[in-house]
Amino acid sequence: AQRVTQPEKLLSVFKGAPVELKCNYSYSGSPELFWYVQYSRQRLQLLLRHISRESIKGFTADLNKGETSFHLKKPFAQEEDSAMYYCALRGRGSNYKLTFGKGTLLTVNP
Amino acid sequence: EAGVAQSPRYKIIEKRQSVAFWCNPISGHATLYWYQQILGQGPKLLIQFQNNGVVDDSQLPKDRFSAERLKGVDSTLKIQPAKLEDSAVYLCASSTGWTVLDNSPLHFGNGTRLTVT
C-alpha cells in the first residue's frame, strides 16, 4: 500500500523566514513524488515534481529514499506563498495512481 | 487552454436523495480522474478513466457511487442514495496519459461542494 504523511496541519512563519513543509511516504519501490498547491479560491495545481529537479517560485524538494521523505523548502518565505500544500505519491505498475497527503496550511505573516 | 470544467459548483441535498456531477476535461486529455476531498483531508481517488475505460475504481463505493465516460470525453459521477458522510468536495482532474513513461501532471477543476443534510 502507498501512503503519504504530512505531519503538520498548520505551519506559520514570518515573511523572509525559511520554510520547510514535511512529507514522508510509504511505498515498496521507486515512487514519483509531487507537491501540489491550492491558493485561496483557486484550484489545486502542480507545484513541482521530484524527477524534474526544478525550483518553482523559489521552492525546492529533494527525494530522500533513505528517510522516505520529500520535504518542500524555501529559504525566504513570501506572503503570497500562503496556501494549502499537498504532497502526493504516484506508484508504478498496477499501483499507478496519485495518493495525496492530508495537506499543510502554510501562513506567511507580514 | 481552457481548464477542466465542473458543474454544479455547489449542491445541497437530503440524505437518501441522488445527485450527479459533470466534468469536461481539457481537450485531448486521455485520462480523467474523480477525487473525493472530505474537509480536513487530502483528495482521495474514487475512479480513474483512460479514454472510456476504467483503470482504477478500487476506492469507489460501488453500492452507491457510479461513474461513466461513455465517449471518452466528459464524465458524470452519480451518488444514489446519498449519505451524510458523502458531504465533500468532488474534484475532477485530467492528464494527457497514464503510463509510467508519462510524467504529465494532473489538471484539476474547481470542484463541486456537496452537502448532504
Side-chain angles (χ1 to χ4, degrees), chain A residues 98-110:
Chain A
L98 196 63
T99 299
F100 286 85
K102 292 187 176 184
T104 297
L105 179 61
L106 173 65
T107 302
V108 181
N109 301 298

Side-chain angles (χ1 to χ4, degrees), chain B residues 28-70:
Chain B
H29 279 196
T31 309
L32 185 147
Y33 314 76
W34 282 103
Y35 279 85
Q36 179 193 57
Q37 186 172 20
I38 293 173
L39 186 64
Q41 299 185 20
K44 182 183 87 171
L45 180 68
L46 292 176
I47 189 167
Q48 178 177 337
F49 291 96
Q50 170 76 1
N51 296 312
N52 62 350
V54 175
V55 173
D56 187 328
D57 63 356
S58 57
Q59 299 189 99
L60 185 75
K62 298 180 185 64
D63 58 333
R64 298 183 301 106
F65 285 65
S66 65
E68 59 183 16
R69 194 185 183 200
L70 292 175

Side-chain angles (χ1 to χ4, degrees), chain A residues 32 36 43 49 86 96 98, chain B residues 37 98-99 102-103 108:
Chain A
E32 295 178 73
Y36 278 78
R43 59 187 68 189
R49 45 190 149 176
Y86 294 95
Y96 195 78
L98 196 63
Chain B
Q37 186 172 20
W98 70 291
T99 69
D102 190 314
N103 300 315
F108 284 86

Side-chain angles (χ1 to χ4, degrees), chain A residues 3-22:
Chain A
R3 188 166 61 240
V4 177
T5 302
Q6 294 180 251
E8 304 143 325
K9 288 191 71 173
L10 304 170
L11 183 62
S12 182
V13 300
F14 285 103
K15 176 182 174 182
V19 63
E20 180 180 68
L21 292 91
K22 290 183 167 48

